């Protein structure tokens, strides 16, 4: 394993320290809870929005704390949900009279940690609602899973509720808005390589020189199938087919309509998993864009880059998120967060 | 054997902790096959913390020890394992209450409460290919040996045998909870990391009990 | 080699197509010259700024074409300077009455291609000035090199002249400004792995599991020394020492003062080479920031992310650029380019 | 031998092109040792383009062929090689002017002009460990065999021998131009890719000449 690391156990704290040093005035770092929080939060005019999740997905979520996005992120160690007391501690520091929205990617570990934390926060009279994100179509719902996984699509959920919170939306409004975005967002990923958590020191999985993992999870969970490497266009076609044909279960036996049909407008995201250069992401974007337009789906805006990664994993995910006039406005509203170019 | 319930509780907890710490890599590797490979690390980091903080715990009664363990684990360990194991210790401790000495019935009730807590927290049940599939039958076996008047050592040995058998029995199953469940049918044929941990811990507790009995009695006969 | 690629020879064109599709209205793609250009260039109020360079360094330079940055970028193939006729073609399409500024990273190939092109453009009466960027301190100047290399520091040069051009600065003013920024900017890189150009299909170099290349170039040129892997902090210390002790040759036998001393203000960039995740970049940033502050150097602003990459190479570079009030304003002025988060 | 100067020019250019195309990987690997490994690819892509466009070139005189080659190479090949090789062909073509038949003196003058063009474009000279270090002595050898009245085949063979020797002689040198120069002393001990290309091309031209002479004369004696 070759990485820029000192003590592997201090990997996450040292990264968090760097984020805070790089963005004074914007965010601060609370070591006790692995917490990166806005310096101007909590605000009595704004619901506080908190993400937990594991580390290793940067810029999600510690680098998207700031105006128009998150009030705080308190990740666990690499690929591990935060322990309960990070969530409790972060929520107490960020408690707002308008309430707290927890955004939780739908993994058992995250769900349970937030659930336990919420039992404790309830007891202390802190008002919390929880928004689950489960945009990944790779894991088909079935009786034997705990539902779908939350992956890069959470960017759209956070962007929408972050912008709305800034405008003073209530906790219930944010919850409803977030659920709507989540329902309109579907993702699918593919890995060309594994990645190595610093504390583990070994790749979480290994692929042969001609193998890919189609439908991979952002913690390296195996996906739909291990397959032979094919061309970029063939991989894109398979991912788009999975996304466009998906009928996400809603309540009971019901299933949602496919995410987009001819005439619909979408945001199209090509998200790098960490080790794939942006040149390849744009190559993939070009093909995906043309394939969707062929089907009459209109691309409203592109999102190409790294949004939710798996350390240095080579691979990418494609996300389609259906937009309407309200969402477009929210997506274009201003932000001020650590991850930026200029 | 002349140990108090408090001493026994401490022996059991410390044996669990040692097992978790010593098997960090092994458990992580098991979880790595179809899961995400963090299980061993999560568990070890929590129990390491526990060992560090051991002297600061309220160790006035079996219940207070278990609650202390619960808080360390739930607070320090992220995700599923922190929540599940934390809940299990919490419920067991709550069931023990303030009692200084625990009966065999108390122990069985504490284990049952731990199971109920984990099921609720994990929204899981027998058959999901989780540690419950090893833990519940092992607990039942312990209860039945106790009910039949067998020795504690015999009960522990038979419980650990059952746990170990179960790890093999569930191996071909499909995982329905935890990250392994995302792989669907690809999870068939690999061990469930949590169940293996239960089996190894049960075996280590039985061994520790045997050693403690030997040294307590000055000879080979355990009560 | 596992990459998102169809035909390796079409790698660059397909990427460029993706950039244009993702940013309609902002940029367009001219396949003949591998050119990405602003849709609203040339403008008679603005000097046109053009970069050539090789591909494989994205987002540099094709993804930083737009308002406040470049008017066009016409890269060669991966790691290859553009052929002369790309430069000639791009310059003719972007010819402005205020003139053209060519920004050239100081490599022989790039210099020669631009020189030949300029001979042809001169003959056609096109007014061109050339600005060389050579911020890399790894290659010490000496009689036997063609001077220092241009690396990630070119971001600051482009940002400054791009902002000034937007405000109507003349060609001569831009040249002087760019030269000033270049003189005030120093960089040093390190690689943990090689990278694989698609058309080559093999890594350009290979490092053992415990080796690093200190002072690596962005085309994988060997650096100062191949060394044993050490901690992140030790690598940072070595790079900072190289940057801070450097006395860049100016004219004749003269040498510039070190880039920054106690009391100076700098922009601090930690630039990923492509395969290193942003978590590690922030970890490195944190230590670099603290080391500089210990020496009394004030960090005015952080730049952490990917600016000038080498495909999927694992590694990073550190750049220090001294700032003053004029430059701060230019650095903070607005831009609109393909590379963005939101 | 009965070939016209135009035919000879085409033979030489086509031999250079074939050599570049066939040795793409070999030349790239040589450049990869201390350079950036693109040399073989750049050269091959330019000469491939030349072969593609061969039928569209103005092939009315040796000079027009060489200028056409120059434009294809300079326009299509990025960086150092595009500029250097493009300049070399351009200067040689310009020196040939509109002549249909070239004398031995013309050929030597054309090669000298190519050298001057490359030196100027590359800001380089003998001793920098570049292709000049193979090309210039080979050119000089050719000129001296010509001056002594030797056959063209002898001149070509001796020139290619000199070029090959030079590639070995400069191997321990330090590269002072091109990307290899960035490595400073680490460039000592490895071949210069450009010089090797010159040597291989010279050898291939000598062979081609021998083959052409044999078939032209119907027997083994070359002029
Ligand atoms: N919902 C659940 N209920 C009970 N046990 C579970 C549940 N989810 C996972 N487990 C057990 O926990 C083990 C994995 O723990 P860990 O790796 O920490 O969780 P994760 O699957 O989130 O990575 C599994 O082997 C399984 O025995
Ligand atoms: N300035 C120069 N003058 C003459 N020849 C040069 C010069 N620079 C490089 N060369 C020759 O070109 C070869 C490398 O070509 P190429 O790989 O295309 O260039 P680069 O070094 O820019 O990658 C070298 O082996 C050397 O023989
Ligand atoms: Mg796990
Ligand atoms: Mg886990
Ligand atoms: Mg080159
Ligand atoms: Mg080269």
């Amino acid at each position: 394993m070759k990485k820029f690391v000192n003590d592997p156990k201090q990997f996450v704290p040292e990264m968090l320290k760097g984020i805070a040093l790089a963005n004074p005035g914007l965010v601060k770092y609370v070591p006790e809870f692995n917490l990166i929080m806005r310096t101007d939060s909590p605000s009595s005019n704004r619901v506080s929005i908190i993400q937990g999740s594991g580390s290793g997905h940067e810029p999600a979520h510690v680098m998207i704390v700031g105006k128009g996005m998150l009030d705080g992120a308190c990740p666990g160690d690499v690929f591990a949900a935060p322990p309960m007391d990070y969530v409790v501690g972060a929520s107490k520091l960020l408690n707002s009279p308008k309430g707290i929205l927890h955004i939780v990617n739908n993994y058992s570990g995250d769900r349970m940690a937030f659930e336990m934390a919420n039992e404790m926060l309830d007891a202390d009279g802190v008002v919390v609602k929880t928004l689950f994100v489960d945009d990944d179509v790779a894991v088909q719902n079935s009786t034997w899973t705990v539902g779908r996984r939350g992956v890069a699509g959470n960017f759209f959920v956070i962007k929408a509720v972050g912008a709305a919170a800034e405008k003073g939306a209530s906790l219930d409004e944010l919850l409803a808005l977030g659920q709507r975005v989540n329902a309109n967002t579907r993702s699918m990923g593919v890995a060309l390589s594994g990645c190595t958590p610093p504390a583990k020191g070994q790749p979480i999985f290994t692929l042969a020189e001609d193998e890919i993992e189609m439908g991979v999870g952002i913690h390296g969970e195996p996906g739909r199938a291990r397959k032979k490497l094919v061309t970029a266009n063939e991989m894109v076609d398979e991912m788009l087919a999975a996304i466009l044909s998906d009928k996400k279960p809603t309540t009971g036996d019901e299933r949602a309509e496919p995410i987009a049909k001819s005439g619909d407008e979408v945001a199209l995201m090509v998200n790098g998993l960490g080790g794939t250069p942006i040149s390849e992401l744009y190559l993939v974007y070009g093909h995906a864009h043309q394939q969707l337009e062929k089907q009459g789906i209109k691309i409203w805006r592109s999102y190409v880059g790294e949004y939710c990664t798996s350390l240095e994993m080579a691979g990418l995910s494609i996300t389609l998120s259906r937009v309407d006039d309200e969402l477009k406005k929210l997506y274009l509203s201003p932000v001020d967060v650590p991850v930026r170019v200029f | 054997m002349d140990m108090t319930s408090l001493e026994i509780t401490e022996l059991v907890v410390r044996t669990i902790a040692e097992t978790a710490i010593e098997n960090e890599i092994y458990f992580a590797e098991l979880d790595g096959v179809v899961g995400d490979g963090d299980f061993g690390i999560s568990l070890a980091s929590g129990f390491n913390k526990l060992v560090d903080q051991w002297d600061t715990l309220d160790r006035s009664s079996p219940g207070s020890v278990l609650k202390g363990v619960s808080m360390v684990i739930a607070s320090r360990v992220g995700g599923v394992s922190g929540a599940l194991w934390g809940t299990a210790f919490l419920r067991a401790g709550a069931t023990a209450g303030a009692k200084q000495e625990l009966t065999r019935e108390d122990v069985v009730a504490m284990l049952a409460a731990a199971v109920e807590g984990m099921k609720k927290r994990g929204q899981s049940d027998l058959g999901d290919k989780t540690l419950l599939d090893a833990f519940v039958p092992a607990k039942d076996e312990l209860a039945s040996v106790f009910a039949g008047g067998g020795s504690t050592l015999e009960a522990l040995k038979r419980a650990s045998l059952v746990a170990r058998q179960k790890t093999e029995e569930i191996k071909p199953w499909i995982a329905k909870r935890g990250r392994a469940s995302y792989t669907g049918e690809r999870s068939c044929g690999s061990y469930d990391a949590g169940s293996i941990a239960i089996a190894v811990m049960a075996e280590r507790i039985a061994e520790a009990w045997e050693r403690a009995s030997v040294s307590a009695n000055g000879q080979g006969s355990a009560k």
Side-chain angles (χ1 to χ4, degrees), chain A, chain B:
Chain A
M1 176 192 55
K2 280 198 284 186
K3 288 181 174 293
F4 293 93
V5 56
N6 296 300
D7 172 1
K9 308 233 162 185
Q10 294 304 311
F11 179 73
V12 174
E14 290 185 0
M15 161 186 70
L16 299 178
K17 184 189 77 180
I19 295 171
L21 285 170
N23 299 279
L26 182 62
V27 298
K28 70 182 182 209
Y29 168 40
V30 184
E32 253 180 292
F33 308 124
N34 266 11
L35 172 64
I36 293 289
M37 62 180 277
R38 280 175 69 162
T39 47
D40 63 349
S41 290
S43 152
S44 54
N45 304 317
R46 203 174 61 226
V47 173
S48 281
I49 306 175
I50 299 176
Q51 252 278 7
S53 198
S55 294
H57 306 304
E58 294 70 26
H61 300 281
V62 284
M63 297 169 193
I64 53 169
V65 172
K67 187 172 145 56
M69 294 289 282
L70 297 172
D71 291 273
C74 56
D77 213 329
V78 170
F79 296 169
M84 176 193 76
D85 71 341
Y86 289 11
V87 181
V88 172
S91 300
K92 286 188 174 168
L93 283 176
L94 289 166
N95 193 9
S96 151
K98 296 198 75 168
I100 297 179
L101 183 69
H102 282 168
I103 301 186
V104 180
N105 288 346
N106 192 37
Y107 297 91
S108 322
D110 296 80
R111 288 190 77 120
M112 289 183 204
F114 276 86
E115 236 170 67
M116 287 183 79
N118 289 356
E119 287 171 19
M120 310 211 82
L121 291 167
D122 266 358
D124 285 353
V126 180
V127 180
V128 181
K129 301 235 161 156
T130 309
L131 173 56
F132 294 103
V133 179
D134 62 349
D135 54 314
D136 190 0
V137 305
V139 174
Q140 292 291 321
N141 236 19
S142 78
T143 46
W144 73 71
T145 72
V146 290
R148 297 172 171 220
R149 306 176 295 205
V151 293
N154 69 34
F155 175 83
F156 293 107
V157 175
I158 296 168
K159 181 73 187 77
V161 299
E166 211 66 48
K167 292 177 181 156
S170 73
L171 185 52
D172 285 326
E173 286 165 348
L174 292 184
L175 186 63
L177 172 66
Q179 285 167 343
R180 184 158 77 84
V181 176
N182 181 55
N184 289 342
T185 303
R186 314 267 161 90
S187 304
M188 172 91 170
V190 64
L192 306 191
S193 81
C195 62
T196 302
K200 198 175 178 192
Q202 300 177 27
I204 51 175
F205 63 86
T206 319
L207 293 170
E209 209 22 65
D210 62 346
E211 272 181 344
I212 61 173
E213 184 73 40
M214 182 54 78
V216 73
I218 54 170
H219 311 88
E221 308 93 321
R224 285 193 176 183
R226 196 158 285 194
K227 299 193 157 189
K228 287 283 165 215
L229 177 66
V230 290
T231 64
N233 288 355
E234 288 168 295
M235 289 189 265
V236 171
D237 291 342
E238 178 166 354
M239 287 189 273
L240 285 181
I243 292 171
L244 289 173
S245 66
D246 181 67
K247 294 185 149 207
K248 190 172 179 171
T250 50
T251 40
D253 282 348
E254 281 175 47
R255 288 185 160 258
E257 283 305 296
I259 187 68
K261 56 181 190 313
S262 181
D264 283 345
E265 275 188 291
V266 299
L268 172 57
M269 174 185 278
V270 177
N271 166 60
L273 293 181
T276 287
I278 195 166
S279 45
E280 297 177 35
L281 302 183
Y282 268 102
L283 182 148
V284 160
Y285 177 88
H287 184 66
H289 181 109
Q290 291 187 315
Q291 293 301 101
L292 290 170
E293 295 230 312
K294 264 190 210 154
Q295 303 189 35
I297 296 167
K298 217 186 136 224
I299 315 297
W300 166 68
R301 193 172 170 79
S302 66
Y303 294 81
V304 184
E306 291 177 353
Y307 292 86
C308 189
T309 63
S310 294
L311 297 171
E312 78 287 359
M313 186 181 289
L316 55 82
S317 63
I318 296 179
T319 299
L320 256 69
S321 191
R322 200 164 63 241
V323 295
D324 54 31
D325 288 346
E326 183 196 354
L327 292 176
K328 287 185 196 174
K329 246 185 246 142
L330 294 170
Y331 291 152
L332 293 179
S333 68
V335 290
D336 190 9
V337 296
V339 62
R340 60 177 160 78
V341 181
F342 293 94
Chain B
M1 197 162 68
D2 301 357
M3 287 165 78
T4 63
S5 288
L6 182 58
E7 285 167 343
I8 293 171
T9 306
E10 294 192 355
L11 177 70
V12 168
V13 166
R14 294 196 67 103
T15 304
I16 290 174
E18 280 161 21
T19 310
I21 293 163
E22 285 165 20
N23 290 282
E24 174 168 355
I25 304 296
Y26 172 52
F27 292 163
E29 281 171 357
L30 287 172
D31 187 39
V33 180
V34 287
D36 61 344
D38 63 341
F39 175 65
I41 295 153
S42 302
L43 221 56
S45 86
F47 282 107
N48 264 318
K49 194 83 199 172
L50 180 70
V51 171
D52 284 353
Q53 301 196 342
W54 188 252
D55 292 330
T56 70
L57 293 185
D58 170 5
R59 300 214 308 282
S60 57
S61 71
S64 75
V65 170
L66 293 171
K67 279 183 219 155
V69 173
S70 155
M71 285 318 293
V72 174
I73 300 296
S75 307
R76 303 304 314 180
V77 178
V80 165
S81 291
L84 281 182
W85 293 62
T87 301
F89 281 104
L90 185 68
R91 298 295 170 94
T95 305
K99 288 186 192 165
Q100 277 301 338
E101 286 304 319
L102 302 168
T103 65
R104 289 183 153 192
E105 288 69 35
D106 289 335
V107 171
V108 172
M110 285 160 64
L111 293 174
V115 167
E116 288 319 304
M118 287 195 284
K119 283 185 179 175
K120 181 156 174 284
R121 180 68 65 206
Q123 295 180 284
S124 49
D125 210 336
L126 289 178
D128 289 344
K129 195 177 182 180
T130 69
L131 50 80
L132 291 173
D133 288 305
F135 191 74
V136 174
K139 175 209 79 169
D140 292 345
E141 184 69 14
L142 190 96
S144 96
V145 177
F146 279 173
S151 76
T152 302
L153 181 60
E154 189 193 341
L156 287 172
K157 283 189 167 169
R158 280 185 39 194
S160 58
L161 264 177
V162 166
R164 179 60 75 176
Q165 272 164 15
K166 280 286 167 180
T167 62
E168 297 293 339
E169 192 181 320
I170 69 176
K171 198 178 169 194
W173 296 5
I174 200 165
K176 297 187 187 171
R177 286 293 176 275
R179 282 201 216 278
S181 69
Y182 295 122
T183 64
E185 283 162 15
R186 292 168 72 185
S187 64
C188 299
S190 52
Y191 287 112
D192 171 60
S195 306
I196 297 274
I198 295 297
V200 178
M201 286 173 181
E203 287 158 4
R204 294 282 301 267
I205 291 168
E207 285 160 28
W209 185 267
E210 194 160 22
R211 265 199 315 278
S213 312
V214 170
S215 64
N217 297 346
Q219 46 184 309
S221 82
K223 247 206 309 205

